[in-house]
Amino acid sequence: MKNITYIILLLFIASSCKNSISEADKKRVTELNEKAVEYRMNGDLENAKRNYSKAIEIDQSNTFIRYELIGVYVEQDSLDKAFELLEKIPNEQKETENYYQVKGGLFEFNGQKEQAIENYKKALELTDKPKVKDEMDLSPLVNYTMLETLAGKKEQAVSRLNETLDLDWLTESNKEYLETFRNEFEFYQGNGTLEFDPKRDILIKTTNSDSLELVLRENHINISGSSASNGNDTTKIYLSEKYRSGINKLNIKTHPNNGYK
């Protein structure tokens, strides 16, 4: 099932835009949105869609909820309806990075790679380059570098993240956060946002998982998951196929069957 949640989570959209609706209507919109989120989390997409739609009827200018509803249509593989809803966004909201980023995602999920890249490029042009002064600037930085990567400028994105990783005030969790995305972008193969979903394509078995994980991290390879085998000291380490070249350079032996369904 296709999912646009990754893109939606990276959008920095206010929960409501400036409008002239009454306080009572604002309260009702908030309630409907909260119900929709709860339904969506529980997998009830029809009721989520119904509540989002009711909220939009009350507040036509609320782009945040409209994007959320677009996400539901994508989860339901209703891309025609998602495109239709996107084009109903108020005109003043159409020349924004958020609009082009979501549109790029829709083209991507629709298999229209060139159109997706063009829209990611437009989103990048409309996005200010982030200035990293403190921890709060790291998420905007990741969003910007992701756009760079999706727009065909992954080397630029990787360089920007590497420069940021040299900042002396970063905590270990800050570094791990940035390194995770740096690694994804460095090994990016041009397959769009779905490529960033962790996959268990490659299996490595080891009796020294701490040492192996350290080596992988030092070589910019993300781990998709791990599990301890029953009855012995062997640990299974899983990786996405995109890291195959990095594994080969390290001459690490992989298991022929990842055993993951």
Side-chain angles (χ1 to χ4, degrees), residues 71-207:
V72 174
Y73 280 128
V74 172
E75 289 184 67
Q76 293 183 320
D77 289 327
S78 299
L79 290 177
D80 288 345
K81 292 182 178 179
F83 273 112
E84 181 180 338
L85 185 61
L86 180 64
E87 293 312 313
K88 290 182 179 179
I89 285 178
N91 288 332
E92 63 271 18
Q93 291 295 325
K94 287 185 177 179
E95 286 303 315
T96 64
E97 62 271 27
N98 299 323
Y99 170 80
Y100 286 113
Q101 190 169 352
V102 172
K103 193 170 185 177
L106 293 182
F107 276 124
E108 177 188 318
F109 292 133
N110 205 36
Q112 296 171 274
K113 183 177 178 179
E114 291 184 6
Q115 291 91 328
I117 293 174
E118 286 305 310
N119 278 274
Y120 289 138
K121 286 180 178 178
K122 290 180 180 178
L124 183 61
E125 291 172 0
L126 292 168
T127 305
D128 294 332
K129 289 182 182 179
K131 296 180 179 179
V132 180
K133 298 179 180 178
D134 55 42
E135 194 174 50
M136 296 298 292
D137 298 322
L138 298 182
S139 289
L141 171 69
V142 166
N143 189 54
Y144 188 84
T145 52
M146 175 169 285
L147 275 176
E148 285 184 306
T149 301
L150 294 171
K153 300 180 178 181
K154 75 171 188 177
E155 292 81 6
Q156 191 169 296
V158 170
S159 176
R160 195 181 307 280
L161 288 175
N162 280 332
E163 289 175 5
T164 305
L165 281 163
D166 287 335
L167 296 174
D168 58 11
W169 54 262
L170 293 175
T171 64
E172 280 303 310
S173 61
N174 292 155
K175 291 178 181 178
E176 185 176 351
Y177 172 68
L178 294 176
E179 286 174 352
T180 297
F181 285 99
R182 187 272 312 277
N183 299 351
E184 289 292 326
F185 302 157
E186 184 174 321
F187 283 87
Y188 180 67
Q189 297 177 333
N191 297 315
T193 55
L194 292 180
E195 189 180 310
F196 303 138
D197 291 339
K199 299 179 179 65
R200 297 186 171 191
D201 304 316
I202 300 173
L203 168 62
I204 302 172
K205 292 185 177 181
T206 179
T207 56

Side-chain angles (χ1 to χ4, degrees), residues 38-95:
E38 184 176 352
Y39 279 125
R40 192 176 181 185
M41 290 180 65
N42 292 324
D44 188 346
L45 298 182
E46 285 301 317
N47 271 316
K49 187 165 60 179
R50 192 171 293 113
N51 279 272
Y52 281 137
S53 297
K54 288 180 180 178
I56 291 173
E57 287 176 6
I58 297 171
D59 186 0
Q60 293 287 329
S61 66
N62 195 315
T63 54
F64 174 80
I65 293 177
R66 196 178 296 271
Y67 285 130
E68 290 296 303
L69 180 53
I70 288 172
V72 174
Y73 280 128
V74 172
E75 289 184 67
Q76 293 183 320
D77 289 327
S78 299
L79 290 177
D80 288 345
K81 292 182 178 179
F83 273 112
E84 181 180 338
L85 185 61
L86 180 64
E87 293 312 313
K88 290 182 179 179
I89 285 178
N91 288 332
E92 63 271 18
Q93 291 295 325
K94 287 185 177 179
E95 286 303 315

